[in-house]
Amino acid sequence: MNKPYNLQGARIIIRRLFRHDTKIITECFNDYGQLFFSPVSEDFINRIFPEGEVWGAFVNNRIIACSYLYPLDCKLSEETKRYSQLTDFIADPSEYLMAGYIGIHHRNFKECIPDEKAGAVCCNMYKAFLNTAEMQAFRRGKRFVVHCTPVKLSCCLPQIFNCGYKLVKMRGLEKLVVHYIFTKSVYTPVVHIQQKGESCRVAQSNTKALSRFLEDGYCAFDILKDGSENIFLLENQ
């Protein structure tokens, strides 16, 4: 299935990828090699296809980014180290679809997207991948999407919240690489409980306070700019 998006003047096609695309898919995730541990390898990508999906973003038939999806309760997922860390707070993994990392093929991206549009296109492309994950979760009969992104490489956080995701945990997954962990309900409309008080606003740089609130049952539903600082807006779940 192909789905076109007009992102800041660049016509981008989101379409499924297959096993013969493994090499180019792997190239999209080179950035994650900066981490102490990255689960994305050629073997990992090959193992996704029997149970999951890989989607790519194309401009003029050239791939500029991709992302992957798989059921949280599939065999591949259960064999990853992060599975037990996620199911520590996810009661029924069979209800969740995992929306994996989003990787950019930097050479193709740079050649296809003008520098002045790169930031906006990247954020809107992130939104397109998350919307695709929600659509596929619905088709598979899943009730929720879970998305993990390394804090060190996190970007486009406002777009994640704009898609209706909420930040529920901030935890170290494999090799203690710290991740933001987001979830979204596929069927239930997003309703925010308005709260008052400074305790419901936490600076992104205050990672200890943010983690503590998230572990105490709060979630973040938005992020705002306050001068030079990013501020998470929190509510009690």
Side-chain angles (χ1 to χ4, degrees), residues 69-95:
L69 312 169
Y70 54 80
L72 188 57
D73 62 338
C74 73
K75 183 178 179 182
L76 168 63
S77 178
E78 291 174 351
E79 292 177 356
T80 63
K81 293 183 178 179
R82 67 179 54 188
Y83 180 77
S84 61
Q85 295 158 321
L86 293 173
T87 55
D88 174 55
F89 62 90
I90 291 177
D92 188 352
S94 68
E95 294 185 335

Side-chain angles (χ1 to χ4, degrees), residues 21-63:
D21 300 306
T22 298
K23 185 178 183 297
I24 195 74
I25 293 169
T26 306
E27 290 176 3
C28 290
F29 294 99
N30 286 340
D31 280 354
Y32 293 90
Q34 304 172 34
L35 303 173
F36 191 64
F37 175 83
S38 171
V40 185
S41 64
E42 190 168 320
D43 177 66
F44 177 82
I45 294 298
N46 274 318
R47 293 186 63 200
I48 287 175
F49 289 108
E51 298 176 280
E53 308 165 8
V54 182
W55 291 79
F58 290 79
V59 173
N60 297 327
N61 211 34
R62 295 181 67 186
I63 190 168

Side-chain angles (χ1 to χ4, degrees), residues 47-188:
R47 293 186 63 200
I48 287 175
F49 289 108
E51 298 176 280
E53 308 165 8
V54 182
W55 291 79
F58 290 79
V59 173
N60 297 327
N61 211 34
R62 295 181 67 186
I63 190 168
I64 60 171
C66 67
S67 186
Y68 53 90
L69 312 169
Y70 54 80
L72 188 57
D73 62 338
C74 73
K75 183 178 179 182
L76 168 63
S77 178
E78 291 174 351
E79 292 177 356
T80 63
K81 293 183 178 179
R82 67 179 54 188
Y83 180 77
S84 61
Q85 295 158 321
L86 293 173
T87 55
D88 174 55
F89 62 90
I90 291 177
D92 188 352
S94 68
E95 294 185 335
Y96 284 77
L97 183 73
M98 167 64 76
Y101 293 161
I102 293 173
I104 296 176
H105 195 290
H106 287 287
R107 184 183 69 249
N108 289 354
F109 189 96
K110 185 174 180 62
E111 291 176 0
C112 293
I113 306 297
D115 289 345
E116 66 273 15
K117 296 182 179 179
V121 169
C122 188
C123 286
N124 285 318
M125 190 168 57
Y126 209 111
K127 182 177 180 179
F129 279 125
L130 291 179
N131 285 340
T132 298
E134 183 181 359
M135 176 180 65
Q136 294 307 105
F138 178 82
R139 288 183 172 180
R140 287 171 173 260
K142 304 295 184 182
R143 295 182 58 200
F144 304 96
V145 179
V146 57
H147 173 58
C148 306
T149 181
V151 170
K152 183 178 179 181
L153 298 178
S154 63
C155 66
C156 305
L157 293 180
Q159 290 288 32
I160 301 177
F161 290 118
N162 286 342
C163 287
Y165 287 75
K166 58 184 180 181
L167 175 63
V168 295
K169 300 291 180 187
M170 188 176 70
R171 289 188 174 183
L173 299 180
E174 297 96 339
K175 302 291 185 181
L176 300 181
V177 177
V178 182
H179 286 66
Y180 292 127
I181 302 172
F182 296 87
T183 62
K184 180 176 183 178
S185 173
V186 175
Y187 298 100
T188 306

